[in-house]
Amino acid sequence: MPDLETVLAALAEEMAARPDRGEVASYIPQLGKIDPQRFGIAVALADGRMLVAGDADEPFSIQSISKIFTLTLALGKVGDALWRRVGREPSGNPFNSIIQLEHERGIPRNPFINSGAIVVTDVLLAGHQPREAIGEILRFVQFLAEDDTVFIDKDVAASEKATGYRNVALANYMRAFDNLNHAPELALGVYFHHCAIAMSCRQLALSGRFLAHGGKSPSTGHSVISPERARRILALMLTCGHYDGSGDFAFRVGIPGKSGVGGGILGIVPGIASIAVWSPGLNENGNSRLGSIVLEKLAKAMDWSIFAP
Ligand code: DON
């Protein structure tokens, strides 16, 4: 097995030199300001070691990666009843698609597309003011990362609120089908804020460890969720974590992953590693272009795959 530290350093050097970096998301104006040259990677291993390369300590907007954490919290709150309101099938459509919602009468295909994540947020709002729900999500992520400096970038949240007409449409549409219990602006307020959580690759890799280790934090041994639930979240990450690019990601990389339009991807090698990568330029499906390429190369070099014997 090659030395992981050497592999990461070589990959970071290779990625820094690549010209084909994709396009930075500009539909959220604040994200459009990010330098596409940035690149970071962090790998948290089972034995507690953390290996990093590039801009691994610079916070970036985790965007849709936050949907893993809100899903985890919502399942803790309502359990399998969640699946009456959200499906578990890949969408085969862009993350902000509206057309499927009409066909399926306001029930989103899965919790990782925007509509599904807005329903999940609506679940977290029950019994709370929006501010409390946002605080609960942030504290959970800080707990997982074992770092209370993880923060919400208010400028990113405001930038999305000012321009998020598609999400407003999705939320209103679901409310019309009675699949939103709160006013659309309340659910969206929480949603925009959790998408605006800022984390570094190091913090993100730490926060994914419970998924790599059967629901337990490897550093404390404390159980965050049951092993069965961790497996199911990983199954959703594999099948739905990259929208209509999910099949391609599974084919090329072979591990569950969740992307965000900030250019981050959290990848999990069960029993072995939690990996966070960040490169802001996106491919045609809205997933980090170099992020998925580097994960493909890393998985190949280390022989990491959930399909390996
Ligand atoms: O709702 C949105 O459009 C963004 N806050 C999140 C979308 C996202 O990250 C999709 N990822 N690739």
Side-chain angles (χ1 to χ4, degrees), residues 27-28 63-64 95 114 160 167 191 195 243 259-261 286-287:
Y27 77 99
I28 301 175
Q63 291 294 322
S64 288
F95 59 85
N114 290 4
E160 190 169 3
N167 285 325
Y191 172 81
C195 286
Y243 316 106
S259 81
V261 282
N287 302 312

Side-chain angles (χ1 to χ4, degrees), residues 10 16 36 40-41 57 66 76 87 102 112 115 144 153 202 237 261 281 284:
I41 186 162
D57 285 303
S66 63
E102 170 148 42
F112 292 152
S115 50
L144 293 173
D153 186 328
R202 185 190 298 270
M237 287 169 66
V261 282
E284 61 284 2

Side-chain angles (χ1 to χ4, degrees), residues 1-4 6-8 10-11 252-253 293-305:
M1 190 64 60
D3 174 56
L4 178 56
T6 315
V7 170
L8 288 181
L11 286 175
R252 283 170 38 212
V253 186
I293 290 172
V294 81
L295 283 174
E296 180 179 3
K297 287 177 178 267
L298 175 63
K300 189 164 182 198
M302 302 307 293
D303 202 21
W304 286 343
S305 166

Side-chain angles (χ1 to χ4, degrees), residues 108-129:
R109 270 286 170 103
N110 68 65
F112 292 152
I113 50 175
N114 290 4
S115 50
I118 294 167
V119 169
V120 166
T121 306
D122 187 62
V123 167
L124 297 181
L125 251 179
H128 288 303
Q129 295 300 317

